[in-house]
Every structure is written in structure tokens, then in C-alpha cells.
């Protein structure tokens, strides 16, 4: 079965940390761009993107320095390490695959419709 499955969400206090996972099955992430999106009120904002084969990563200004994407190529999985969490980081986090050029260009930040395959998401809530 071809799917992306996110996990690792939950509740955290401001300043806390969470680590999200996005596991792909039924296909390989090689040659794809894999992005993390944060969804609130139906709007999706791209916060991080990885060109999987090159292991190159890109971040939006809102998370740069706090979030880190990594991969386990053997497990066909990407991760999003989230540190120094803020209340505005709250949302449903989804991973999605698309062209690697979407990462290089920065278009992942505001072009969710360019990503063709999505997981179901994992909820992150940051509050005191």
C-alpha cells in the first residue's frame, strides 16, 4: 500500500521539543522533495523541505534555527525535530512529496497544491 504516515505529535509547553516522523511505504522517497506543512483553519504553510537523495534541507523563516529535518534512507523515513516550541507552532503537521525543485526554489512554503501525495497528519499543540 502506497502511503505516508506521520507520527510523534502531541502536546508540549512553550520551549519544549517534539520529534515528528514521516514514514513512506509502497514507494521510495529517493528523487523526491519531502516537505512538512503546518495546517491551521484549512491553510497549509510549508515549514521545511528536504531533497531526499541529496539530503539538502530548507526552512521557512518562522522555524529556521529551531526545526531540523533529517532522514533515515534505510527506513524510507524523514523526521522533523522541533525545539524551542512556541504557541504559534500549534497545528496539524502533514508531510507530502513533490518535485525536488520545490525545495530548492522555496516554493514549498506557499505552494501546497504542487505536492501530490500527502499523509494524514499528526497534531501538535503548544500551550502552557
Amino acid at each position: 500500500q502506497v502511503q505516508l504516515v506521520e507520527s510523534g505529535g502531541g502536546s508540549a509547553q512553550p520551549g519544549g521539543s517534539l520529534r515528528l516522523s514521516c514514514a513512506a511505504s509502497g514507494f521510495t522517497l529517493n528523487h523526491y522533495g519531502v516537505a512538512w506543512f503546518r495546517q491551521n483553519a484549512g491553510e497549509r504553510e510549508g515549514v521545511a523541505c528536504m531533497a531526499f537523495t541529496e539530503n539538502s534541507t530548507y526552512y521557512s523563516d518562522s522555524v529556521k534555527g529551531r526545526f531540523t529535518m533529517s532522514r533515515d534512507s534505510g527506513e524510507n523515513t524523514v523526521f522533523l525535530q522541533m525545539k524551542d516550541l512556541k504557541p504559534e507552532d500549534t497545528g496539524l503537521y502533514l508531510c507530502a512529496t513533490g518535485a525536488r525543485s520545490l525545495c530548492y526554489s522555496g516554493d514549498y512554503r506557499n505552494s501546497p497544491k504542487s505536492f501530490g501525495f500527502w499523509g494524514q497528519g499528526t497534531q501538535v499543540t503548544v500551550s502552557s
Side-chain angles (χ1 to χ4, degrees):
Q1 185 176 5
V2 177
Q3 60 180 356
L4 292 169
V5 178
E6 301 94 334
S7 61
S11 297
Q13 293 188 338
S17 300
L18 287 171
R19 187 185 192 222
L20 308 184
S21 300
C22 170
S25 58
F27 72 106
T28 177
L29 291 174
N30 286 339
H31 309 302
Y32 281 103
V34 185
W36 284 98
F37 289 84
R38 178 167 60 212
Q39 178 174 306
N40 283 292
E43 296 292 323
R44 292 177 175 178
E45 171 198 5
V47 298
C49 199
M50 171 185 280
F52 191 83
T53 302
E54 295 89 342
N55 198 22
S56 55
T57 53
Y58 307 82
Y59 302 96
S60 70
D61 289 343
S62 65
V63 306
K64 194 174 296 182
R66 300 187 299 119
F67 290 11
T68 303
M69 271 190 84
S70 61
R71 69 174 186 176
D72 183 330
S73 57
E75 293 296 322
N76 210 26
T77 299
V78 298
F79 305 96
L80 185 67
Q81 178 68 52
M82 311 163 69
K83 296 182 180 180
D84 190 21
L85 284 163
K86 303 177 180 181
E88 52 263 42
D89 293 321
T90 294
L92 181 68
Y93 281 73
L94 306 102
C95 63
T97 58
R100 289 174 292 176
S101 59
L102 293 166
C103 298
Y104 306 149
S105 67
D107 286 344
Y108 70 93
R109 290 172 291 186
N110 51 21
S111 300
K113 293 184 179 180
S114 298
F115 288 79
F117 194 65
W118 293 78
Q120 293 300 306
T122 184
Q123 179 67 35
V124 170
T125 302
V126 184
S127 69
S128 54

